[in-house]
């Protein structure tokens, strides 16, 4: 079994991208790995992340801040479930500011959001590669 706690999925400056405890919880749901739960969850998350980031980008370009808030809400929960806690926290802050009508304060967070999405997407991709290699 691949060690997801030590798979290189961290950034030296900011620490782990995917929380080890959250990943352990996912693995515990499929202890023998036969159902490939972690792989399926991460692959589904990665596809969903790409779709939702596109939706957020379009909504932001159109000034549809309610839609940006809804996407942030969705990503907040799904990101937390795979251990992308920094992204989840950013989404929570963006959602809170937008619900309060403070669009201007959310803009810098949306820039941070883009950078964190890239980190999370890379970490999920790397983890999926490790899982594939371990299965071969």
């Amino acid at each position: 079994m691949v060690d997801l706690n030590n798979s290189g999925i961290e950034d030296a400056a900011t620490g782990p991208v995917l929380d080890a405890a959250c990943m352990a919880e996912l693995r515990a749901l499929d202890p023998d790995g036969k159902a490939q739960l972690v792989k399926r969850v991460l692959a589904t998350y990665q596809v969903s992340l790409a779709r939702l980031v596109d939706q957020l980008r379009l909504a932001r370009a159109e000034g549809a801040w309610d839609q940006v808030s809804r996407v942030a809400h969705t990503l907040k929960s799904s990101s937390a479930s795979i251990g992308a806690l920094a992204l989840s926290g950013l989404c929570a802050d963006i959602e809170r500011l937008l619900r309060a009508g403070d669009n201007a304060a959310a803009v810098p967070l949306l820039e941070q959001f883009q950078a964190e999405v890239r980190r999370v997407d890379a970490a999920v991709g790397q983890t999926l590669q490790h899982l594939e290699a371990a299965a071969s």
Side-chain angles (χ1 to χ4, degrees):
M1 176 172 205
V2 67
D3 180 5
L4 296 178
N5 295 329
N6 189 20
S7 59
I9 50 175
E10 61 181 69
D11 180 290
T14 58
V17 177
L18 301 178
D19 181 72
C22 292
M23 292 301 292
E25 287 179 23
L26 275 176
R27 283 192 312 278
L29 295 173
D30 182 23
D32 60 11
K34 287 182 183 176
Q36 297 186 358
L37 178 71
V38 174
K39 181 178 169 185
R40 290 185 330 196
V41 167
L42 291 178
T44 300
Y45 174 84
Q46 196 170 43
V47 169
S48 175
L49 179 66
R51 180 180 47 79
L52 289 167
V53 168
D54 282 345
Q55 285 178 11
L56 187 142
R57 183 182 45 77
L58 289 171
R60 181 179 176 193
E62 295 171 357
W65 295 106
D66 286 346
Q67 179 63 22
V68 172
S69 178
R70 281 191 292 278
V71 171
H73 175 78
T74 300
L75 277 173
K76 174 183 67 177
S77 301
S78 62
S79 296
S81 73
I82 65 147
L85 302 182
L87 181 57
S88 179
L90 267 173
C91 289
D93 291 343
I94 291 166
E95 179 186 18
R96 179 182 45 77
L97 289 168
L98 293 177
R99 286 192 177 185
D102 197 350
N103 302 352
V107 170
L109 294 181
L110 288 165
E111 300 309 318
Q112 291 176 22
F113 167 85
Q114 292 299 332
E116 191 60 25
V117 162
R118 287 189 293 275
R119 284 175 20 111
V120 169
D121 188 52
V124 169
Q126 188 176 14
T127 302
L128 285 169
Q129 287 177 349
H130 281 100
L131 290 169
E132 282 294 324
S136 336

